[in-house]
C-alpha cells in the first residue's frame, strides 16, 4: 500500500506505470490513460480502416526481382526442354551428315591372314590393295567355285584299260574322306585327248559332295577298307598294291535324267 | 480470396504463372502495408519484394487455416520489424514537441492519411501501425520492439493525439 495519498488514489490504475504519478506530469498521465479507454472515434476508425485496406501498385521491375530469387521448377524444366530442342535441331542434321560422310569414305574391310596357304595355279586369289596396314605378303587363299564338271569312272580296273576317245574326258572318282558313310564326289573336269584314267587317290582337301552322287554303304566299306589299306602301305613304304584289278567296285550313282541318257548312250557306244 | 488461393498448389510446384498470379494479387496490399512503416518509396518497395520472396519460399508450409492474405501480412510485418529494431529512433524518449500540421492539405483520403502516418516519428508510427492496424497488444509490441509496455502506450497516445488533431482540423476546414 503506497504511503502517499495520491499514489494510493491511482494505485489500481497506475500499476503499469514505471514511476509514481508524482514524478510524472499530469499530461503524461492523461496520455497514458487514454489508451486504457481504447475507444477509437469514428473518424479514427475510418482512417484506420482505410489505412488497413490501402493498396499501392508496385514498380514494373519488382516482379522480375522476385522471380529472379525463385528457382521455379517449370522454368528450369522449360529451359531444359528449350535448349535440348535447340541442340537436337542443330546436332541431328550434323550427325546425319557426319555418318553419311563416314560411310562414303569407309575403307575396305581389313583382312587378317590367319593361315597362309600356297595359292595353286588353278585357284584365283582376290587382288587386294596395299593400303591396309595389317596386310601380309601372303594373300588369303580363296578358291572360286568351279563349274561342275561331270566325270564318271566306269570301272576301277587295270591301268591298261584305256579310255575311249570320247569328246569329254572324265576324271576318276576321288576319295573324299575315310568314313563308313563315304561320300564321293566325281571331280569333274573336261579334257580333250586324255587317254588315261588316273587312279583314284585320296584328296588332300575334302570337297563337298553333290547330293546326286552318294556312295552306297556296302560299297563304301569296301572302298574304305581298300583306301585304308593302301594308305597304310604308303606309310610303310610298300607302295600301292597292284594291280588295281584286284578290286572291283560297283557303284550306284544318282544322276540327272539328261546325264543318264548321255551316259547310257556313251557306254553303249563304248 | 478463394480465387487467389487456388494458385497456391501451382506456385508450390514452381509454376511461374501461378506465382505471378499470387504476386499480382498480394503485392499491392503488401506494398501499402510497407509504406505505412517506411515513408521512403524505395525502402518500402525493397521490403515488399523481400516479403514476397519469403512468402514463395515458405508457401509449402501454408496450412490453409487462415486466409493467405493474413498469412503474408504477418510476414510483411515481421520483415518490417526486423529492420525497425535496428533503428534507434524507435527507442527515443517521449517527444513533447508539437507535430506540425502545416503540410497537410484539406483532403481526407487514404493517401492523405498515409502521409499523416508517414509524417510521424518512427517510434510513433510503428507503435500506431502495430496497435491500431495490425491489432498487436502492448505486450506484443513491447516484445517485438524490445521496449517497455509503458513506452508503447505513451507513443501510441502521442500518435493518436496528433492524428486526432489532424482529423479535427481537416473536418473543420471542410466545414
Amino acid at each position: 500500500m503506497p504511503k502517499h495519498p495520491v499514489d494510493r488514489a491511482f494505485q489500481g490504475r497506475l500499476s503499469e506505470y514505471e514511476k509514481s504519478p508524482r514524478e510524472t506530469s499530469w499530461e503524461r498521465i492523461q496520455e497514458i490513460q487514454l489508451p486504457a479507454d481504447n475507444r477509437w472515434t469514428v473518424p479514427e476508425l475510418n482512417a484506420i480502416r482505410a489505412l488497413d485496406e490501402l493498396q499501392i501498385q508496385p514498380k514494373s521491375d519488382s516482379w522480375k526481382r522476385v522471380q529472379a530469387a525463385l528457382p521455379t521448377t517449370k522454368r528450369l524444366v522449360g529451359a531444359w526442354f528449350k535448349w535440348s530442342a535447340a541442340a537436337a535441331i542443330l546436332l541431328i542434321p550434323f550427325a546425319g551428315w557426319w555418318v553419311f560422310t563416314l560411310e562414303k569414305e569407309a575403307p575396305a574391310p581389313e583382312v587378317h591372314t590367319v593361315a597362309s596357304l600356297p595359292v595353286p595355279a588353278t585357284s584365283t586369289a582376290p587382288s587386294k590393295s596395299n593400303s591396309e596396314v595389317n596386310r601380309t605378303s601372303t594373300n588369303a587363299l580363296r578358291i572360286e567355285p568351279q563349274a561342275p564338271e561331270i566325270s564318271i569312272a566306269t570301272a576301277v580296273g587295270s591301268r591298261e584299260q584305256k579310255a575311249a576317245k570320247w569328246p569329254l574326258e572324265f576324271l576318276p572318282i576321288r576319295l573324299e574322306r575315310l568314313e563308313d558313310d563315304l561320300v564321293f564326289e566325281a571331280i569333274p573336269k573336261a579334257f580333250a585327248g586324255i587317254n588315261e584314267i588316273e587312279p583314284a587317290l585320296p584328296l588332300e582337301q575334302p570337297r563337298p559332295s553333290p547330293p546326286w552322287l552318294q556312295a552306297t554303304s556296302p560299297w563304301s566299306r569296301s572302298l574304305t577298307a581298300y583306301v585304308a589299306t593302301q594308305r597304310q602301305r604308303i606309310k610303310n613304304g610298300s607302295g600301292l598294291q597292284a594291280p588295281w584289278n584286284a578290286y572291283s567296285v560297283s557303284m550306284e550313282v544318282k544322276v540327272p535324267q539328261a546325264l543318264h541318257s548321255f551316259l547310257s548312250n556313251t557306254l553303249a557306244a563304248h | 480470396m478463394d480465387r487467389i488461393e487456388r494458385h497456391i498448389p501451382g506456385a508450390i510446384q514452381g509454376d511461374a504463372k501461378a506465382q505471378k498470379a499470387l504476386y499480382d494479387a498480394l503485392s499491392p496490399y503488401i506494398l501499402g502495408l510497407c509504406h505505412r512503416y517506411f515513408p521512403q518509396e524505395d525502402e518500402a518497395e525493397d521490403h515488399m519484394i523481400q516479403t514476397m520472396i519469403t512468402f514463395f519460399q515458405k508457401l509449402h508450409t501454408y496450412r490453409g487455416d487462415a486466409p493467405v492474405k493474413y498469412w503474408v501480412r504477418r510476414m510483411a510485418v515481421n520483415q518490417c520489424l526486423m529492420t525497425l529494431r535496428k533503428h534507434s529512433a524507435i527507442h527515443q524518449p517521449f517527444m513533447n514537441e508539437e507535430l506540425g500540421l502545416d503540410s497537410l492539405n484539406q483532403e481526407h483520403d487514404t493517401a492523405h492519411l498515409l502521409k499523416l502516418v508517414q509524417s510521424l516519428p518512427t517510434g510513433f508510427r510503428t507503435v500506431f501501425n502495430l496497435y491500431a492496424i495490425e491489432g498487436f497488444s502492448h505486450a506484443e509490441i513491447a516484445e517485438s520492439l524490445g521496449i517497455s509496455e509503458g513506452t508503447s502506450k505513451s507513443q501510441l497516445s502521442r500518435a493518436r493525439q496528433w492524428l486526432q488533431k489532424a482529423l479535427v482540423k481537416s473536418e473543420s476546414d471542410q466545414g
Side-chain angles (χ1 to χ4, degrees), chain B residues 83-101:
Chain B
T83 304
L84 290 171
R85 286 194 195 99
K86 305 175 185 177
H87 284 191
S88 59
I90 205 169
H91 301 285
Q92 285 179 356
F94 190 69
M95 297 169 62
N96 291 325
E97 66 274 10
E98 188 72 17
L99 297 176
L101 303 175

PDB file of all heavy atoms in Angstrom, chain B residues 83-101:
ATOM      1  N   THR B  83      13.791  -4.782 -39.576  1.00  0.00           N
ATOM      2  CA  THR B  83      14.572  -3.591 -39.917  1.00  0.00           C
ATOM      3  C   THR B  83      14.404  -2.500 -38.875  1.00  0.00           C
ATOM      4  O   THR B  83      15.359  -1.812 -38.501  1.00  0.00           O
ATOM      5  CB  THR B  83      14.155  -3.066 -41.296  1.00  0.00           C
ATOM      6  OG1 THR B  83      14.291  -4.101 -42.256  1.00  0.00           O
ATOM      7  CG2 THR B  83      14.996  -1.880 -41.720  1.00  0.00           C
ATOM      8  N   LEU B  84      13.197  -2.323 -38.367  1.00  0.00           N
ATOM      9  CA  LEU B  84      12.931  -1.237 -37.433  1.00  0.00           C
ATOM     10  C   LEU B  84      13.600  -1.468 -36.097  1.00  0.00           C
ATOM     11  O   LEU B  84      13.921  -0.505 -35.383  1.00  0.00           O
ATOM     12  CB  LEU B  84      11.425  -1.085 -37.238  1.00  0.00           C
ATOM     13  CG  LEU B  84      10.672  -0.524 -38.451  1.00  0.00           C
ATOM     14  CD1 LEU B  84       9.174  -0.617 -38.246  1.00  0.00           C
ATOM     15  CD2 LEU B  84      11.087   0.920 -38.712  1.00  0.00           C
ATOM     16  N   ARG B  85      13.818  -2.718 -35.741  1.00  0.00           N
ATOM     17  CA  ARG B  85      14.502  -2.986 -34.473  1.00  0.00           C
ATOM     18  C   ARG B  85      15.897  -2.412 -34.476  1.00  0.00           C
ATOM     19  O   ARG B  85      16.453  -2.076 -33.430  1.00  0.00           O
ATOM     20  CB  ARG B  85      14.566  -4.482 -34.218  1.00  0.00           C
ATOM     21  CG  ARG B  85      13.270  -5.102 -33.817  1.00  0.00           C
ATOM     22  CD  ARG B  85      13.492  -6.499 -33.265  1.00  0.00           C
ATOM     23  NE  ARG B  85      12.224  -7.241 -33.199  1.00  0.00           N
ATOM     24  CZ  ARG B  85      11.835  -8.121 -34.101  1.00  0.00           C
ATOM     25  NH1 ARG B  85      12.611  -8.391 -35.129  1.00  0.00           N
ATOM     26  NH2 ARG B  85      10.679  -8.742 -33.959  1.00  0.00           N
ATOM     27  N   LYS B  86      16.462  -2.294 -35.628  1.00  0.00           N
ATOM     28  CA  LYS B  86      17.808  -1.755 -35.735  1.00  0.00           C
ATOM     29  C   LYS B  86      17.816  -0.237 -35.674  1.00  0.00           C
ATOM     30  O   LYS B  86      18.867   0.372 -35.490  1.00  0.00           O
ATOM     31  CB  LYS B  86      18.446  -2.212 -37.042  1.00  0.00           C
ATOM     32  CG  LYS B  86      18.444  -3.714 -37.224  1.00  0.00           C
ATOM     33  CD  LYS B  86      18.980  -4.101 -38.595  1.00  0.00           C
ATOM     34  CE  LYS B  86      18.868  -5.595 -38.816  1.00  0.00           C
ATOM     35  NZ  LYS B  86      19.329  -5.986 -40.178  1.00  0.00           N
ATOM     36  N   HIS B  87      16.614   0.386 -35.835  1.00  0.00           N
ATOM     37  CA  HIS B  87      16.562   1.833 -35.807  1.00  0.00           C
ATOM     38  C   HIS B  87      16.570   2.303 -34.361  1.00  0.00           C
ATOM     39  O   HIS B  87      15.750   1.892 -33.559  1.00  0.00           O
ATOM     40  CB  HIS B  87      15.295   2.340 -36.505  1.00  0.00           C
ATOM     41  CG  HIS B  87      15.393   2.252 -37.995  1.00  0.00           C
ATOM     42  ND1 HIS B  87      14.487   2.852 -38.831  1.00  0.00           N
ATOM     43  CD2 HIS B  87      16.292   1.654 -38.786  1.00  0.00           C
ATOM     44  CE1 HIS B  87      14.825   2.614 -40.089  1.00  0.00           C
ATOM     45  NE2 HIS B  87      15.915   1.882 -40.083  1.00  0.00           N
ATOM     46  N   SER B  88      17.440   3.194 -34.063  1.00  0.00           N
ATOM     47  CA  SER B  88      17.494   3.731 -32.708  1.00  0.00           C
ATOM     48  C   SER B  88      16.332   4.679 -32.443  1.00  0.00           C
ATOM     49  O   SER B  88      16.011   4.971 -31.297  1.00  0.00           O
ATOM     50  CB  SER B  88      18.819   4.457 -32.490  1.00  0.00           C
ATOM     51  OG  SER B  88      18.967   5.526 -33.430  1.00  0.00           O
ATOM     52  N   ALA B  89      15.734   5.188 -33.514  1.00  0.00           N
ATOM     53  CA  ALA B  89      14.664   6.171 -33.326  1.00  0.00           C
ATOM     54  C   ALA B  89      13.473   5.570 -32.606  1.00  0.00           C
ATOM     55  O   ALA B  89      12.703   6.262 -31.965  1.00  0.00           O
ATOM     56  CB  ALA B  89      14.231   6.732 -34.670  1.00  0.00           C
ATOM     57  N   ILE B  90      13.325   4.244 -32.711  1.00  0.00           N
ATOM     58  CA  ILE B  90      12.158   3.631 -32.102  1.00  0.00           C
ATOM     59  C   ILE B  90      12.278   3.600 -30.586  1.00  0.00           C
ATOM     60  O   ILE B  90      11.293   3.422 -29.864  1.00  0.00           O
ATOM     61  CB  ILE B  90      11.974   2.205 -32.650  1.00  0.00           C
ATOM     62  CG1 ILE B  90      10.510   1.779 -32.534  1.00  0.00           C
ATOM     63  CG2 ILE B  90      12.857   1.198 -31.934  1.00  0.00           C
ATOM     64  CD1 ILE B  90      10.210   0.523 -33.277  1.00  0.00           C
ATOM     65  N   HIS B  91      13.506   3.789 -30.103  1.00  0.00           N
ATOM     66  CA  HIS B  91      13.725   3.793 -28.661  1.00  0.00           C
ATOM     67  C   HIS B  91      13.885   5.200 -28.100  1.00  0.00           C
ATOM     68  O   HIS B  91      14.270   5.374 -26.953  1.00  0.00           O
ATOM     69  CB  HIS B  91      14.988   2.987 -28.321  1.00  0.00           C
ATOM     70  CG  HIS B  91      14.889   1.567 -28.791  1.00  0.00           C
ATOM     71  ND1 HIS B  91      14.122   0.623 -28.147  1.00  0.00           N
ATOM     72  CD2 HIS B  91      15.452   0.947 -29.855  1.00  0.00           C
ATOM     73  CE1 HIS B  91      14.235  -0.528 -28.782  1.00  0.00           C
ATOM     74  NE2 HIS B  91      15.026  -0.358 -29.828  1.00  0.00           N
ATOM     75  N   GLN B  92      13.595   6.201 -28.931  1.00  0.00           N
ATOM     76  CA  GLN B  92      13.737   7.570 -28.455  1.00  0.00           C
ATOM     77  C   GLN B  92      12.724   7.855 -27.355  1.00  0.00           C
ATOM     78  O   GLN B  92      11.618   7.309 -27.366  1.00  0.00           O
ATOM     79  CB  GLN B  92      13.544   8.540 -29.616  1.00  0.00           C
ATOM     80  CG  GLN B  92      14.729   8.598 -30.559  1.00  0.00           C
ATOM     81  CD  GLN B  92      14.492   9.559 -31.700  1.00  0.00           C
ATOM     82  OE1 GLN B  92      13.405  10.122 -31.814  1.00  0.00           O
ATOM     83  NE2 GLN B  92      15.511   9.773 -32.509  1.00  0.00           N
ATOM     84  N   PRO B  93      13.125   8.705 -26.441  1.00  0.00           N
ATOM     85  CA  PRO B  93      12.201   9.029 -25.347  1.00  0.00           C
ATOM     86  C   PRO B  93      10.994   9.779 -25.875  1.00  0.00           C
ATOM     87  O   PRO B  93      10.929  10.196 -27.027  1.00  0.00           O
ATOM     88  CB  PRO B  93      13.034   9.895 -24.406  1.00  0.00           C
ATOM     89  CG  PRO B  93      14.126  10.435 -25.255  1.00  0.00           C
ATOM     90  CD  PRO B  93      14.399   9.388 -26.305  1.00  0.00           C
ATOM     91  N   PHE B  94      10.075   9.918 -25.013  1.00  0.00           N
ATOM     92  CA  PHE B  94       8.827  10.563 -25.320  1.00  0.00           C
ATOM     93  C   PHE B  94       9.053  11.980 -25.826  1.00  0.00           C
ATOM     94  O   PHE B  94       9.814  12.749 -25.258  1.00  0.00           O
ATOM     95  CB  PHE B  94       7.981  10.573 -24.042  1.00  0.00           C
ATOM     96  CG  PHE B  94       6.578  11.003 -24.254  1.00  0.00           C
ATOM     97  CD1 PHE B  94       5.724  10.202 -24.960  1.00  0.00           C
ATOM     98  CD2 PHE B  94       6.137  12.181 -23.730  1.00  0.00           C
ATOM     99  CE1 PHE B  94       4.413  10.596 -25.139  1.00  0.00           C
ATOM    100  CE2 PHE B  94       4.823  12.582 -23.911  1.00  0.00           C
ATOM    101  CZ  PHE B  94       3.973  11.780 -24.616  1.00  0.00           C
ATOM    102  N   MET B  95       8.411  12.329 -26.944  1.00  0.00           N
ATOM    103  CA  MET B  95       8.645  13.620 -27.551  1.00  0.00           C
ATOM    104  C   MET B  95       7.451  14.522 -27.255  1.00  0.00           C
ATOM    105  O   MET B  95       6.299  14.135 -27.481  1.00  0.00           O
ATOM    106  CB  MET B  95       8.841  13.471 -29.054  1.00  0.00           C
ATOM    107  CG  MET B  95      10.060  12.632 -29.407  1.00  0.00           C
ATOM    108  SD  MET B  95      10.123  12.200 -31.141  1.00  0.00           S
ATOM    109  CE  MET B  95      10.222  13.817 -31.866  1.00  0.00           C
ATOM    110  N   ASN B  96       7.743  15.707 -26.811  1.00  0.00           N
ATOM    111  CA  ASN B  96       6.690  16.629 -26.435  1.00  0.00           C
ATOM    112  C   ASN B  96       6.434  17.695 -27.477  1.00  0.00           C
ATOM    113  O   ASN B  96       5.512  18.483 -27.358  1.00  0.00           O
ATOM    114  CB  ASN B  96       7.037  17.323 -25.113  1.00  0.00           C
ATOM    115  CG  ASN B  96       6.973  16.331 -23.955  1.00  0.00           C
ATOM    116  OD1 ASN B  96       6.152  15.436 -23.943  1.00  0.00           O
ATOM    117  ND2 ASN B  96       7.848  16.510 -22.988  1.00  0.00           N
ATOM    118  N   GLU B  97       7.266  17.751 -28.486  1.00  0.00           N
ATOM    119  CA  GLU B  97       7.092  18.838 -29.432  1.00  0.00           C
ATOM    120  C   GLU B  97       5.809  18.649 -30.211  1.00  0.00           C
ATOM    121  O   GLU B  97       5.332  17.543 -30.445  1.00  0.00           O
ATOM    122  CB  GLU B  97       8.296  18.921 -30.379  1.00  0.00           C
ATOM    123  CG  GLU B  97       8.466  17.744 -31.315  1.00  0.00           C
ATOM    124  CD  GLU B  97       9.253  16.631 -30.661  1.00  0.00           C
ATOM    125  OE1 GLU B  97       9.491  16.687 -29.450  1.00  0.00           O
ATOM    126  OE2 GLU B  97       9.610  15.669 -31.348  1.00  0.00           O
ATOM    127  N   GLU B  98       5.310  19.770 -30.622  1.00  0.00           N
ATOM    128  CA  GLU B  98       4.069  19.771 -31.374  1.00  0.00           C
ATOM    129  C   GLU B  98       4.361  19.295 -32.795  1.00  0.00           C
ATOM    130  O   GLU B  98       5.282  19.772 -33.441  1.00  0.00           O
ATOM    131  CB  GLU B  98       3.484  21.193 -31.386  1.00  0.00           C
ATOM    132  CG  GLU B  98       2.092  21.281 -31.974  1.00  0.00           C
ATOM    133  CD  GLU B  98       1.035  20.691 -31.057  1.00  0.00           C
ATOM    134  OE1 GLU B  98       1.314  20.513 -29.858  1.00  0.00           O
ATOM    135  OE2 GLU B  98      -0.076  20.398 -31.533  1.00  0.00           O
ATOM    136  N   LEU B  99       3.550  18.395 -33.232  1.00  0.00           N
ATOM    137  CA  LEU B  99       3.740  17.908 -34.585  1.00  0.00           C
ATOM    138  C   LEU B  99       3.049  18.867 -35.528  1.00  0.00           C
ATOM    139  O   LEU B  99       1.882  19.172 -35.389  1.00  0.00           O
ATOM    140  CB  LEU B  99       3.142  16.507 -34.728  1.00  0.00           C
ATOM    141  CG  LEU B  99       3.805  15.447 -33.854  1.00  0.00           C
ATOM    142  CD1 LEU B  99       3.084  14.127 -33.988  1.00  0.00           C
ATOM    143  CD2 LEU B  99       5.270  15.287 -34.240  1.00  0.00           C
ATOM    144  N   GLY B 100       3.779  19.369 -36.502  1.00  0.00           N
ATOM    145  CA  GLY B 100       3.245  20.363 -37.405  1.00  0.00           C
ATOM    146  C   GLY B 100       2.197  19.806 -38.330  1.00  0.00           C
ATOM    147  O   GLY B 100       2.294  18.670 -38.800  1.00  0.00           O
ATOM    148  N   LEU B 101       1.200  20.578 -38.593  1.00  0.00           N
ATOM    149  CA  LEU B 101       0.136  20.174 -39.493  1.00  0.00           C
ATOM    150  C   LEU B 101       0.070  21.075 -40.708  1.00  0.00           C
ATOM    151  O   LEU B 101      -0.879  21.017 -41.483  1.00  0.00           O
ATOM    152  CB  LEU B 101      -1.212  20.214 -38.776  1.00  0.00           C
ATOM    153  CG  LEU B 101      -1.313  19.373 -37.509  1.00  0.00           C
ATOM    154  CD1 LEU B 101      -2.653  19.582 -36.832  1.00  0.00           C
ATOM    155  CD2 LEU B 101      -1.124  17.906 -37.845  1.00  0.00           C
TER     156      LEU B 101
END
